[in-house]
Amino acid sequence: MARLVMKFGGTSVADVARIRNVAQHVKREVDAGHEVAVVVSAMSGTTNQLVAWARETAPLHDAREYDTIVATGEQVTVGLLAIELQRIGIPARSWLGWQIPIRTDNAHGAARIQEINGDEIVRRFGEGQVAVIAGFQGLGPDNRITTLGRGGSDTSAVAIAAAINADRCDIYTDVDGVYTTDPRIVAKARKLDKISYEEMLEMASLGAKVLQTRSVELAMVYRVRLQVRSSFDAPDAPQGTGAGDIVGTLVCDEEEIVEQQVVSGIAYSKDEAKVTLVKVEDKPGVAAKVFGPLADNSINVDMIIQNVSDDGKSTDMTFTVPQAELARAEDVIRKAQAEIGAQEIKTDTNVVKVSIIGIGMRSHTGVAKTMFQTLAAKGINILAITTSEIKVSVLIASEYTELAVRALHTAYGLDGE
């Protein structure tokens, strides 16, 4: 017997038929003798509709009331799933974020979980009851409803798994696991049986949409084993009982991964914008004048390049920000332009960030060399570079995205049959 958290996203609970399918997945685990908590998102498209109504009512609305509105989607789903589980003979009870409670800070719309008391859920496990929990929502310090931001149900599921000491957290989605890269671009992309927390965190932050970044961070901190799998698989399909029979992809400690490839995956992000400050004064303190105001306005900066000054008086400075933040970033920089001393501000959204990720990079040399040679052979110019211990990212023109991803996937031996 194990204690499991099962999380189902919006497409998995898109209508009553899909909710009935989810109930069969839950029934399978209950029949196997497991203690089960289920975390669900709102039905597909519901949150977008609720957000649209809030914005139509008032573009500049109260964030607390916004959370009250958008949290209702999950309330419908937990009620429907609990009813369906009861219909097929499984004792189940729905739980909203405030009923557990899932305590968060007061950053409405992007709250962070601070504490979860799972004692009552665990007590009810002893009575054979399944807990059906609304993801995405919590309770702030002022006892107002809060929401965790897009993809927040993943974070809810991992946090609940940690709070109740679950043996595993299964994330059911519309794909059957984590792939070496986007299968829509590379037909030979392979599903990974296992991937380390660190690799998954990099892939999630660099464009892979399988898991929300914060959920992977939580899983890594509390060592919650995650399994990414498809809710569209038949509930009665073979589940695999041996250590090597993994359904989907297991996100775990790197010690569990026997064979570590140098590069495990290729990720890309089109949500990038390049900002170049032309002829900035080349003197101490200028960088602080550029990036200080950006930080004060909560604008995340990724890649940074500063050219060497020939005359010792001026230089060009380039950095990237999320496309969604470009307008705000440009406004902030223009307000500080006179103090910075930049002659011109140029922006470009026709860029993409392509990254190679792998824990094997820690112990192998020449990984970046292969990347640069591969891109050069395809005539792809690199606009910026950034690295970490287990990743190398480059900024390139967006029209070369598919060519770059395919070439790198082949260069690092990731192509499947």
Side-chain angles (χ1 to χ4, degrees):
M1 184 183 76
R3 183 173 292 171
L4 303 177
V5 172
M6 305 171 71
K7 183 268 175 178
F8 294 88
T11 55
S12 302
V13 292
D15 52 37
V16 173
R18 296 302 308 162
I19 289 173
R20 286 188 170 138
N21 178 69
V22 165
Q24 291 301 317
H25 279 285
V26 176
K27 183 177 186 298
R28 179 193 66 238
E29 303 297 356
V30 172
D31 289 347
H34 301 315
E35 297 176 338
V36 178
V38 189
V39 176
V40 292
S41 301
M43 298 164 79
S44 183
T46 298
T47 302
N48 287 341
Q49 180 62 73
L50 294 169
V51 170
W53 282 337
R55 289 176 176 168
E56 182 181 352
T57 304
L60 296 176
H61 43 254
D62 187 316
R64 290 165 295 186
E65 302 308 333
Y66 170 89
D67 276 355
T68 301
I69 295 164
V70 298
T72 60
E74 284 72 20
Q75 181 168 338
V76 173
T77 314
V78 292
L80 290 173
L81 180 55
I83 288 172
E84 175 59 18
L85 286 169
Q86 292 168 5
R87 188 187 71 82
I88 61 177
I90 296 175
R93 185 60 63 206
S94 65
W95 296 81
L96 301 181
W98 62 268
Q99 291 176 302
I100 294 174
I102 299 173
R103 289 285 180 183
T104 73
D105 60 20
N106 62 357
H108 287 274
R112 300 187 75 87
I113 296 173
Q114 295 181 329
E115 181 187 10
I116 298 177
N117 187 336
D119 291 349
E120 181 62 16
I121 291 173
V122 172
R123 187 187 70 79
R124 296 199 185 198
F125 282 158
E127 300 174 358
Q129 191 177 99
V130 170
V132 184
I133 302 168
F136 179 60
Q137 57 179 242
L139 187 68
D142 56 356
N143 287 332
R144 302 290 308 183
I145 293 171
T146 57
T147 61
L148 309 182
R150 286 293 186 176
S153 292
D154 283 354
T155 302
S156 299
V158 174
I160 289 164
I164 66 173
N165 294 313
D167 295 282
R168 198 179 66 234
C169 179
D170 291 348
I171 306 290
Y172 287 78
T173 181
D174 53 1
V175 295
D176 61 350
V178 180
Y179 279 74
T180 49
T181 195
D182 189 341
R184 295 170 299 179
I185 288 183
V186 181
K188 292 184 176 181
R190 292 184 292 107
K191 182 173 72 67
L192 298 166
D193 285 339
K194 294 182 179 180
I195 186 171
S196 72
Y197 294 118
E198 291 86 351
E199 289 170 319
M200 191 67 245
L201 184 58
E202 290 284 11
M203 291 186 75
S205 65
L206 294 168
K209 305 297 184 185
V210 180
L211 290 171
Q212 189 208 40
T213 304
R214 280 166 60 197
S215 70
V216 184
E217 289 175 348
L218 266 182
M220 185 164 62
V221 169
Y222 292 101
R223 289 306 187 247
V224 175
R225 298 168 86 244
L226 299 178
Q227 187 168 250
V228 180
R229 55 183 300 181
S230 174
S231 64
F232 296 97
D233 289 341
D236 57 356
Q239 298 302 300
T241 56
D245 298 331
I246 296 171
V247 180
T249 299
L250 184 68
V251 185
C252 56
D253 273 314
E254 63 179 275
E255 286 77 14
E256 289 192 49
I257 305 172
V258 179
E259 295 185 14
Q260 298 176 354
Q261 284 193 276
V262 178
V263 171
S264 301
I266 315 290
Y268 68 93
S269 173
K270 294 183 176 179
D271 181 33
E272 303 292 327
K274 180 168 66 106
V275 180
T276 300
L277 308 182
V278 180
K279 296 290 184 183
V280 177
E281 289 185 78
D282 191 8
K283 64 180 183 181
V286 171
K289 292 177 181 178
V290 173
F291 300 112
L294 292 171
D296 293 341
N297 284 271
S298 301
I299 298 171
N300 185 46
V301 175
D302 185 14
M303 301 174 164
I304 302 172
I305 295 176
Q306 183 170 338
N307 298 327
V308 177
S309 171
D310 289 332
D311 56 10
K313 295 181 180 179
S314 63
T315 184
D316 293 347
M317 186 178 291
T318 298
F319 58 91
T320 61
V321 296
Q323 271 195 31
E325 301 289 351
L326 178 59
R328 284 205 307 132
E330 192 173 0
D331 180 61
V332 168
I333 293 299
R334 291 201 182 280
K335 288 178 180 177
Q337 185 173 357
E339 188 178 4
I340 296 167
Q343 289 188 8
E344 187 180 358
I345 301 171
K346 297 180 178 179
T347 61
D348 183 7
T349 56
N350 186 37
V351 292
V352 66
K353 179 169 62 178
V354 177
S355 308
I356 57 171
I357 300 118
I359 52 178
M361 292 168 61
R362 290 174 178 155
S363 55
H364 288 76
T365 59
V367 180
K369 173 186 173 183
T370 300
M371 183 183 204
F372 302 150
Q373 287 180 337
T374 301
L375 296 176
K378 297 296 182 181
I380 301 173
N381 187 42
I382 297 173
L383 306 174
I385 303 168
T386 187
T387 66
S388 77
E389 191 178 24
I390 65 168
K391 75 113 192 294
V392 180
S393 298
V394 296
L395 195 70
I396 62 174
S398 58
E399 58 262 32
Y400 295 113
T401 304
E402 294 188 12
L403 177 61
V405 171
R406 288 181 184 135
L408 292 170
H409 199 266
T410 299
Y412 289 105
L414 297 175
D415 291 349
E417 296 297 325

